[in-house]
Structures are given as structure tokens and as C-alpha cells.
Amino acid sequence: MDLNDKVAIVTGSGRGLGLSYAQALAAAGAAVVVNDVSEDVAQTAADSITAAGGRAVAHTVAVGTEEAAAGLVECAISEFGRLDAVVTNAGILRDKVLWNMTAEDFDAVIAVHLRGTFLCAREAVRHFRNAKEGGRLILAGSPAGQRGNFGQTNYAAAKAGIAAMARTWAMECAKAGVTVNAIIPNAATAMTETIPFLAPYVEDLKAGNPIPSVVRRAASFGTAEDVAGLVVYLASDASAHVTGQCIGIGGDRLAMWSHPAEIASAFHDGGWRADDIAEAFDSSIGEQLQTYGIALPQIPTTVNA
């Protein structure tokens, strides 16, 4: 992919997945606005890109306010003269089960993930519409937002909302030549090392050991670098026909997530009473009850890399 004429903003790109996205975009030729809440972290990330021959500038701000969104777009324009893609990656976790989650825990995650995505995307699209050159919105979703996850009421709700926004914005932005997609990444990061099933593989990776092939396939779990290629593709002209999608990537797997759809229905003349519904659940649509939660694959106790 040749992104030499492109400029991208990546929120939350001081470390983890965001840093991998920023580095991959720069390696493909794009100029990148690196964003983090820590000035030192953002500058170090930007320096890593310029040291490798890329173009990058650090912009320190916490997403979630109109001022922050405007500042990011202004930074891209003032530093590089244009804006072509925005990757809304910034996020935090405040994991607790429902009865222990505080309003502050809920609001903090929603403010960064959902509100931050909305505000940054809105500011970018306003610019794209005025510039009349199209653009790319690449939103960070999550398996938790697709299926739910224990202890992540706030995070799952935000990520489900982001998937819905991608589908909505794909319709609204099509006339302006702006594509909108959500990526559903799965990789070894500070966030995933808190998940007991994945923690041992994250620790192995830190120790310099590769993630076993069976895990990279069955669990769709790999490194942050494994995910970055999808961001580069979606930022490129090659993906101009792809919009409104939720695309999964992790380890050795690339996947297309389906949109919610009716899978069973029943009809009753004159409408439905509670007793009628109870009967229908026992004899028709109840046979199609759906699973929920992130399904954990069966990984052999002993695996080979």
C-alpha cells in the first residue's frame, strides 16, 4: 500500500495497538498525528516513527471533548496540510461486574470510547465534506462489543455503540466519499493481559516467546503488529468500496462480522398476548435462542509454536 500522499490521525497511539497502527501507516508513507494523554509517551512514539524515516508529530490531549477533537484535526492541517484518515483508537478500561460498577466507572469509559469516537469522527467528517476529497474513518471496536463480556458493561456498551455508529455513518457519509468501518482487533496488549485466558500468552510474548500457531488461529490472537495491516488497507485507496463493515483481525485470522439480523419469526392474527408469546417460544422462535459472551476456543494443553 502506498500512502505517501495521505495524512492520518491515530488517537491513543502512544503505545499498544495505536502505536502499531501509527507506525504501520507511517511505514506505508502516511504522515501521522500521534495522540496520547501523556506528552512523554506521545513524543516518544512520534520519535520512533521519525527515527525510522517516517513523518509524525505528537499531539497531547485526552479525547472526549469538542476542543480535543478540533485540536487534533487542526494539528493535522497545520503540520501536514491535509487530512485523509482518522483512526479512533483511544480507550480505557474500568472493569467491574454490574453490581460493583460505579457511575464514575461507567461514565469514564463511555466518555473516552463512545463520546471520543463520536466527536473525533464528527470533526473529521466536517473537514472531509469541506475539502471534497473523501476520507476514511476507522473505528476501534471489540469482540466484547459484538458479543458482550463478563465484567465489561461499560466497555461492551461503548464498543457496541461504535459498531452501530459505523453502520450509520457509512450511510450518512457515502455521498462525500467517506468510508466508515469498525475493526475488531484481538492482540496482546495491556488490555488483553487482564483476561485470564489470554494472560499466559501475553506473558510468553513479553518473555520473547512466539504465540503458538494454534492460538493465533483458534483464538485469533497475536501481536499488535498483526492487526496493523488492516488499518493500512482501510486507510488506502484500495478499500474505497468497503464501508459500513465490522472486520475482525488477530493472529492469523481475518474475519467479517455479520450485522444483527432477524433469524426467526412467527405470526399471530390479531397480535400477540403474553400466553401466545409463551407458546411461540416453546414451539418456534425459542428454538433459535442465541449464545452470548466471547466464546473461548478449545486450545490443547500442550501446543507447538
Side-chain angles (χ1 to χ4, degrees), residues 15-295:
R15 51 170 67 91
L17 281 170
L19 177 57
S20 291
Y21 301 158
Q23 290 174 332
L25 288 164
V32 182
V33 176
V34 175
N35 161 250
D36 197 272
V37 294
S38 166
E39 183 176 355
D40 290 342
V41 170
Q43 191 60 57
T44 299
D47 289 345
S48 74
I49 291 172
T50 56
R55 296 176 294 157
V57 63
H59 187 79
T60 305
V61 71
V63 303
T65 68
E66 293 181 307
E67 294 77 14
L72 282 163
V73 172
E74 289 169 4
C75 179
I77 303 304
S78 63
E79 292 288 337
F80 302 116
R82 60 183 295 117
L83 178 63
D84 301 279
V86 175
V87 185
T88 58
N89 171 76
I92 61 172
L93 290 179
R94 297 290 187 272
D95 293 356
K96 289 176 185 172
V97 292
L98 173 60
W99 50 93
N100 289 331
M101 184 172 289
T102 66
E104 291 75 17
D105 293 330
F106 185 86
D107 290 345
V109 170
I110 295 298
V112 176
H113 287 277
L114 193 61
R115 180 180 170 83
T117 294
F118 158 68
L119 291 173
C120 289
R122 186 184 67 176
E123 192 69 24
V125 169
R126 285 174 173 172
H127 169 76
F128 293 151
R129 284 169 53 83
N130 288 332
K132 295 181 170 56
E133 294 182 340
R136 302 284 184 268
L137 292 182
I138 304 166
L139 317 181
S142 168
Q146 304 297 101
R147 296 191 52 84
N149 195 34
F150 191 94
Q152 291 195 314
T153 292
N154 44 12
Y155 181 74
K159 293 303 188 181
I162 286 170
M165 289 195 298
R167 297 168 188 138
T168 300
W169 296 343
M171 294 183 286
E172 295 178 347
C173 299
K175 189 175 180 180
V178 177
T179 66
V180 189
N181 293 285
I183 61 172
I184 314 298
N186 194 20
T189 67
M191 286 191 175
T192 53
E193 71 180 347
T194 64
I195 301 173
F197 170 73
L198 298 175
Y201 303 114
V202 179
E203 291 303 315
D204 282 349
L205 196 62
K206 288 181 179 179
N209 301 316
I211 295 175
S213 176
V214 66
V215 176
R216 289 176 59 85
R217 288 175 172 264
S220 185
F221 189 71
T223 66
E225 290 74 19
D226 292 324
V227 177
L230 177 57
V231 172
V232 174
Y233 167 69
L234 290 175
S236 75
D237 293 338
S239 67
H241 62 294
V242 181
T243 192
Q245 303 305 305
C246 293
I247 307 169
I249 189 168
D252 295 333
R253 181 187 295 177
L254 178 67
M256 184 68 73
W257 282 85
S258 67
H259 296 339
E262 293 181 356
I263 60 167
S265 59
F267 299 91
H268 192 274
D269 291 341
W272 291 91
R273 298 176 303 166
D275 289 344
D276 301 325
I277 294 170
E279 182 179 350
F281 262 85
D282 290 339
S283 62
S284 59
I285 64 170
E287 297 175 354
Q288 302 290 327
L289 293 178
Q290 299 295 285
T291 60
Y292 50 89
I294 299 174

Side-chain angles (χ1 to χ4, degrees), residues 1-7 25-31 53 55 82 84:
M1 295 292 159
D2 182 0
L3 303 182
N4 278 296
D5 60 341
K6 307 294 186 185
V7 176
L25 288 164
R55 296 176 294 157
R82 60 183 295 117
D84 301 279

